[in-house]
Amino acid sequence: MKEEMSLRHSLESHKLDLIAEITSLKLQLNGAKQELTEWKEKAIESKSSRMEKENESIQEKYKSAQLNINDLHTEANEWQEKYMISQVKLVRTQKDASEFRTRSVQAYVSCVLRWIVQ
C-alpha cells in the first residue's frame, strides 16, 4: 500500500509537473502569439507608411512631369509662332522677288525696245 501511495504520489507529482509544463508552454505560446500580432501590426503600419511615402513620391513625379509638359507646350507654342512669322517673311520675300523679276523683265524689255527703235 505504501508503494501504491508512493506511486500515486509520484504520478500526481508527475501530473502536476506536466500541468505546470503545459501551462508554461501555453503562456509562452500566448506570448508568442501576442508578439506575432504586434509584429503584424508593425508590418501593416510600416507598409502603410511606405505606401504613403511611395504615393507622395509618385505625386511629386507627376507634378514634375506636368510642369515639364506645360514647359514643352509653351516652347512648342513659341516655336509655332516663330514658324508662322518666318512663313510670313518667306511669303513677303517671295513676293518681293517676284516683283523684282517683273521689274527686271520690264526694264530688259524696255532696253531692248529702245535699242530696236534706235
Side-chain angles (χ1 to χ4, degrees):
M1 178 95 66
K2 257 185 172 181
E3 211 175 281
E4 190 177 307
M5 286 290 244
S6 177
L7 185 58
R8 200 175 269 192
H9 180 63
S10 178
L11 287 175
E12 280 296 319
S13 177
H14 185 63
K15 182 180 173 183
L16 291 175
D17 287 344
L18 289 176
I19 290 173
E21 182 73 23
I22 290 171
T23 304
S24 174
L25 290 172
K26 283 183 178 179
L27 288 173
Q28 288 177 4
L29 179 61
N30 286 337
K33 284 181 181 178
Q34 180 63 33
E35 188 176 349
L36 179 62
T37 301
E38 290 172 3
W39 279 107
K40 282 182 182 178
E41 289 173 359
K42 286 180 182 178
I44 290 169
E45 289 173 6
S46 175
K47 185 177 181 183
S48 176
S49 175
R50 188 176 73 240
M51 289 174 69
E52 190 175 308
K53 288 178 185 176
E54 287 175 4
N55 189 27
E56 288 174 4
S57 175
I58 289 170
Q59 285 179 350
E60 288 175 15
K61 289 177 183 177
Y62 175 78
K63 287 178 184 177
S64 177
Q66 280 298 116
L67 291 174
N68 288 338
I69 288 171
N70 290 342
D71 290 346
L72 289 173
H73 278 296
T74 301
E75 189 175 349
N77 289 338
E78 290 171 358
W79 280 104
Q80 178 93 18
E81 186 177 334
K82 288 178 184 178
Y83 173 76
M84 295 304 290
I85 290 170
S86 70
Q87 289 297 321
V88 168
K89 287 180 181 178
L90 178 64
V91 168
R92 286 182 186 159
T93 302
Q94 288 173 340
K95 183 179 175 187
D96 290 346
S98 177
E99 288 176 6
F100 178 76
R101 278 193 304 272
T102 302
R103 286 191 202 126
S104 295
V105 169
Q106 287 174 347
Y108 177 75
V109 169
S110 177
C111 286
V112 168
L113 287 176
R114 276 193 224 139
W115 182 74
I116 292 176
V117 171
Q118 289 178 355

